[in-house]
Amino acid sequence: MNSEQVTRGLQRAPHRSLFYALGMTEEEFTRPLIGVCNAQNEIVPGHMHLDTVAEAVKAGIRSAGGTPIEFPAIGICDGIAMAHTGMKWPLPSRELVADSVEAMALAHQFDGLVLIPNCDKIVPGMLMGAARVNLPAIFVSGGPMLAGTINGRKVSYSSMYEIMGKVAKGEAGEEELRDWEEVVCPGCGSCAGLYTANTMNCMTEALGMGLPGNGTIPAVYSARLRLAKKAGARIMDLLAENVRPRDIMTEAAFRNAIAVDMAIGGSTNTALHLPAIAHEVGIRLTLDIFDEISRRTPYLTKLAPAGVLHMEDLYEAGGIPAVMKRLSEAGLLDLTCPTVTGATVGGNIETARVRLPEVIRPLDNPWTKEGGIAVLRGNLAPDGSVVKQSAVLPGMMTHEGPARIFEGEEEADEAIFAGKIVPGDVVVIRYEGPKGGPGMREMLMPTGALLGVGLSDSVALITDGRFSGASSGAAIGHVSPEATEGGPIGLLQEGDIIQIDIPNRKLNVKLSDEELARRRASWKPLPPKVTSGYLARYARLVGSGAAGAVLNR
């Protein structure tokens, strides 16, 4: 066992004195030491209850003969960080989470890990760290929040942007706004729609790194605590069997996860996070792989922000095992992939069934024949761009209009709320990429503002930054290369005609190659927005959003 490096032998007597200082008995520190990485904090609603989940995990570990040792991980609430300078930090924090898992696990020679994330960047950060250290590991998330209810209607976090737009137009008052504020997020858990946090928890389950139910059991259900106890006990089996993350996170497993992502219409942020996790195990996941799988995978569920259903509905319908059962019937999954349960994917879903076919549609009646995400290329995005096509209105699947140029999110938000954007426009927000932002800010405010002021059915938005999992509409992100790197998006001028063709995967500007070359010859990037501290270092090291925004080590 790794832990023998710190607990056994004469030369480890000083180390043992420190275990005694922790209040441990000899029996405890000579058992397998299991690190319990807990992202609990008091600023993220998705994390505020993780202490309870961690206690259940630790009970499971002790029941199976191990010694749990809890340590923390940071976690940023994307919703609170949204639409101001704080949003520069969440994506870079993914690297801090991964680094801290690596540092804590290897410095203290844990024998195995149970990782407890719940929100956007913490889930992939922990998966990256687990892949890096390659110790036996299992994940159990905190689970999704229940949806709120107002006037008999189910609502969630993204609904706030709808009412905010109505207030801005004078169609609703401050009192109604306050009513919505108090109910859309009714308690603990990751926000109730299929936003990035819940998408990534579902991806963890689909990858085989979490037990069935990890992605969908609501945070407040006792089933979540039972799942945590099972995960704690199961890590001891993984340790005994020497099953490690790299045994589970194979290329076939990632392809399975992408297929599930396409079937449920998950967040576009998976196109950043899955490649970054795969990178840690030496697998290259390209945007072309996402598009290839999307083209053959039916879109089976329609959850908020694309629809009116929420994570609790997906859970009641059978959860991710039921979705995977549907996909297996079409031959779209590799059923031989191993998982942390000890069974293969096929074994895990053998008894799964769809309980609510109106939530998880039959293969012969999907919402669309293609999956939730599309990858667009063209002279405006030579290296690719990403759109959540499942949340785009039919009339906006193709669009042509004049570019309205903004050198950052704040300028665009101001113009939308001031009524300066008109039907037919294409809002272009640039210098928000991984390097240019820096940090590739999520931009829920402009997409929410367009919805709120009634322009989501007539105005498109493109950016070298990214969008929240709660975004909807013709919002095309991850445009690569980014403006700071000299990408074509940095060469656009006010009024250039942008052509969007999602069905044919095209994103172009109506300019000749010669005109683009002429503009490039005189182009100069904007000065860096941040010149010191962690973000400046991140900007120097981070790679393209088209490749997962991984750090060039």
Side-chain angles (χ1 to χ4, degrees):
M1 293 190 301
N2 288 350
S3 59
E4 293 179 359
Q5 298 295 318
V6 294
T7 61
R8 302 291 176 91
L10 173 63
Q11 294 180 346
R12 299 299 179 255
H15 304 64
R16 290 193 293 273
S17 72
L18 295 171
F19 283 105
Y20 283 121
L22 291 169
M24 284 193 191
T25 64
E26 183 177 2
E27 183 183 28
E28 285 178 304
F29 66 67
T30 53
R31 291 174 178 171
L33 302 184
I34 306 300
V36 178
C37 183
N38 182 7
Q40 191 273 336
N41 61 46
E42 295 182 347
I43 190 64
V44 186
H47 290 190
M48 67 180 186
H49 65 303
L50 295 189
D51 51 350
T52 305
V53 176
E55 288 304 316
V57 165
K58 290 188 284 186
I61 293 170
R62 292 190 185 100
S63 73
T67 296
I69 301 177
E70 187 176 340
F71 64 92
I74 66 167
I76 292 173
C77 179
D78 284 41
I80 295 174
M82 192 71 66
H84 56 84
T85 190
M87 187 37 82
K88 295 180 183 293
W89 291 93
L91 183 59
S93 78
R94 184 185 73 181
E95 311 304 322
L96 296 176
V97 173
D99 290 349
S100 64
V101 170
E102 177 186 12
M104 291 295 289
L106 298 184
H108 300 106
Q109 291 294 295
F110 292 127
D111 297 304
L113 295 170
V114 181
L115 301 108
I116 310 173
N118 212 33
C119 290
D120 297 27
K121 312 310 168 296
I122 300 88
V123 182
M126 286 189 182
L127 282 164
M128 291 164 67
R132 226 180 265 174
V133 302
N134 203 33
L135 296 172
I138 190 169
F139 280 68
V140 57
S141 77
M145 186 185 294
L146 294 176
T149 304
I150 189 163
N151 300 325
R153 172 190 167 193
K154 290 288 185 74
V155 290
S156 55
Y157 175 74
S158 60
S159 307
M160 283 306 304
Y161 289 84
E162 174 189 341
I163 186 67
M164 190 171 65
K166 290 182 177 179
V167 172
K169 291 195 297 180
E171 297 175 0
E174 294 290 334
E175 185 175 342
E176 186 177 356
L177 177 66
R178 175 68 175 271
D179 290 342
W180 283 62
E181 288 175 4
E182 293 183 355
V183 302
V184 295
C185 296
C188 67
S190 45
C191 296
L194 190 60
Y195 312 140
T196 304
N198 289 324
T199 301
M200 287 309 302
N201 284 325
C202 290
M203 293 298 94
T204 302
E205 184 177 336
L207 273 172
M209 289 299 295
L211 297 176
N214 180 71
T216 59
I217 297 173
V220 296
Y221 284 16
S222 61
R224 176 62 54 179
L225 298 182
R226 296 197 297 272
L227 188 78
K229 289 178 182 177
K230 290 176 182 177
R234 181 61 194 155
I235 188 60
M236 300 306 296
D237 296 327
L238 294 171
L239 180 60
E241 298 159 8
N242 195 29
V243 177
R244 298 169 182 258
R246 294 183 193 178
D247 299 324
I248 294 172
M249 290 195 283
T250 62
E251 182 171 351
F254 281 104
R255 285 179 171 268
N256 280 351
I258 295 171
V260 172
D261 185 26
M262 298 306 161
I264 62 177
S267 167
T268 52
N269 283 312
T270 56
L272 283 173
H273 299 322
L274 290 177
I277 300 161
H279 176 76
E280 297 291 348
V281 297
I283 295 170
R284 184 167 178 260
L285 281 188
T286 65
L287 290 181
D288 289 336
I289 293 173
F290 279 79
D291 201 56
E292 166 207 328
I293 295 173
S294 179
R295 286 181 181 274
R296 66 169 184 259
T297 306
Y299 175 38
L300 301 178
T301 75
K302 195 170 188 177
L303 307 185
V308 298
L309 300 176
H310 294 84
M311 293 303 294
E312 62 206 66
D313 300 299
L314 180 56
Y315 172 64
E316 295 297 334
I320 296 304
V323 173
M324 296 182 80
K325 183 77 167 183
R326 277 271 197 262
L327 294 176
S328 72
E329 293 166 359
L332 294 171
L333 296 179
D334 186 330
L335 302 181
T336 68
C337 291
T339 75
V340 292
T341 67
T344 62
V345 167
N348 287 344
I349 66 174
E350 186 174 0
T351 60
R353 63 187 178 89
V354 175
R355 299 190 187 98
L356 299 172
E358 65 271 26
V359 177
I360 303 172
R361 285 194 167 192
L363 292 170
D364 60 0
N365 185 33
W367 286 100
T368 60
K369 293 181 180 179
E370 292 187 351
I373 291 174
V375 175
L376 314 185
R377 295 181 186 272
N379 68 352
L380 191 48
D383 294 344
S385 61
V386 180
V387 62
K388 188 172 183 175
Q389 64 174 342
S390 58
V392 179
L393 293 171
M396 290 298 293
M397 293 295 284
T398 60
H399 182 77
E400 182 173 311
R404 303 298 306 280
I405 309 295
F406 301 97
E407 315 291 11
E409 180 189 358
E410 287 83 0
E411 291 183 15
D413 293 341
E414 181 180 344
I416 294 168
F417 282 116
K420 297 178 180 178
I421 304 300
V422 300
D425 283 348
V426 178
V427 174
V428 177
I429 304 176
R430 61 190 183 189
Y431 290 97
E432 289 287 6
K435 287 182 178 294
M440 205 177 187
R441 288 193 289 181
E442 278 188 348
M443 288 180 277
L444 180 55
M445 183 64 76
T447 58
L450 288 173
L451 175 65
V453 301
L455 290 174
S456 61
D457 60 350
S458 59
V459 171
L461 199 158
I462 68 170
T463 182
D464 52 7
R466 61 196 177 96
F467 295 108
S468 166
S471 292
S472 60
I476 301 165
H478 309 199
V479 172
S480 300
E482 63 176 288
T484 294
E485 293 281 86
I489 191 171
L491 308 179
L492 294 178
Q493 295 176 5
E494 189 80 7
D496 286 343
I497 300 301
I498 307 296
Q499 297 173 313
I500 298 166
D501 185 348
I502 295 173
N504 290 305
R505 305 303 203 255
K506 298 294 184 183
L507 180 61
N508 287 298
V509 55
K510 289 183 74 171
L511 295 173
S512 66
D513 292 344
E514 292 75 17
E515 175 60 17
L516 286 170
R518 185 189 67 76
R519 292 186 187 184
R520 183 172 286 107
S522 60
W523 171 83
K524 292 182 180 179
L526 293 179
K529 297 175 184 176
V530 179
T531 58
S532 63
Y534 175 63
L535 285 180
R537 178 158 34 104
Y538 178 84
R540 289 195 298 271
L541 294 174
V542 71
S544 169
V550 300
L551 298 189
N552 300 309
R553 302 189 184 281

